Amino acid sequence: MLTAPVSTASKGRRKTDHWTVRSDAVHAVEFSPFPQSASFLAYGGDSRVVVLQQQGGFVEDGVDNAAGCAAGGSGTVRLRFEYLVEFCLGVRVSAIAWSCVASDSGNSAVRRVKLAAAAHDFKVYVLSSNLMGEVSTNALSGHASYVNDCAFSPTAGDLLATVGDDLLCLVWNTSTSDAIRFKLTSPGRSVCWHVSKSRHLMVAEQRGVIRFFDLDTETVGTVLQVDPALAPLTSAHWNPIGESIVGVLAGGRLLVFDKDFPAEDPIDQGPLHAPANANTRLVRWCNCNRDFIATTNSALRANVRVSHSAHFNAPDVRSQPRGCSGLSWHAELPCFVTGGEANLHFWFVAA
């Protein structure tokens, strides 16, 4: 069992925690976004992917109190994780995505993990285990350069989308290794599905173009465009609760688009991060509160910023030492995790 104390941040606004992983640097980290597997957390390092499981709720002052943490209670909080399974790939991991078929059920007959890992050998690895000793690794080869992001469909556990520097978006059937190809006009930075639009796929390109593909017709629907002066786009995320809202990080600025009104200018929060290390910044909406959005950069002393859509001009800022890699929100609580060298850093957001 792995546990870690949490110290309360100033003003009671954020609680932070970190614990050290075994030997690896952390290059990617991802909570499962699905309720049936919300306790699962995976991180990727120099050569492997490790899956952990949260044990119980968040413990505050010795009492299980997930609701109190979400409301911003004071005191010492502990996160408890158990090591589940490790997948050895022999290559550095750059992104992780969870499949909706993963389940943390107490019933061993249905308890399983399934996820994908994009790696620096231009391949994507589909990883699965029944958590009873059976482990499977399947390599998907189709990209000719670095794969920057990957995402499973929220409703079809074998449907996986990937984007890379080779100007391709590939939509894989992981059971057959077949793929549909969409040609891009610049490197793909982010790819994202939405539970209410399960046959539509958001793809964000480095030059600032964000397209929504219809998989049934294999055509492009809505197109959003970032001001070219703000290029490069480094990350984009489709709000999992607000189906028309898209957050974009470009030129160090956070932009919020409404895809139902593509001709309108986005809400511009203004500068958030310095221009350095632009290619490793991330933006993610909270899974349980449509207004919270987090952004990171990966400078030597990285910034982690959390904003609220009702007052974008007042982000809450925290620093974390020695860079920042990965960013993922818990499926059910206002808590997110980032990686940094051999540490996982956890951040709790008060309403």
Side-chain angles (χ1 to χ4, degrees), residues 103-120:
S103 172
D104 59 12
S105 170
N107 182 347
S108 61
V110 298
R111 188 168 180 250
R112 63 178 299 197
V113 299
K114 182 177 179 180
L115 62 163
H120 273 214

Side-chain angles (χ1 to χ4, degrees), residues 94-106:
S94 55
I96 293 172
W98 281 94
S99 168
C100 64
V101 303
S103 172
D104 59 12
S105 170

Side-chain angles (χ1 to χ4, degrees), residues 153-170:
S153 163
T155 58
D158 288 327
L159 202 59
L160 174 70
T162 60
V163 291
D165 284 350
D166 56 355
L167 314 188
L168 283 178
C169 170
L170 300 182

Side-chain angles (χ1 to χ4, degrees), residues 3 51-52 73 82 96 159 166 184 223 248 259 273 300 306 342 351:
T3 65
V51 177
L52 309 173
E82 180 182 22
I96 293 172
L159 202 59
D166 56 355
L184 308 180
V223 177
V248 176
K259 67 182 288 287
H273 300 287
L300 183 61
V306 180

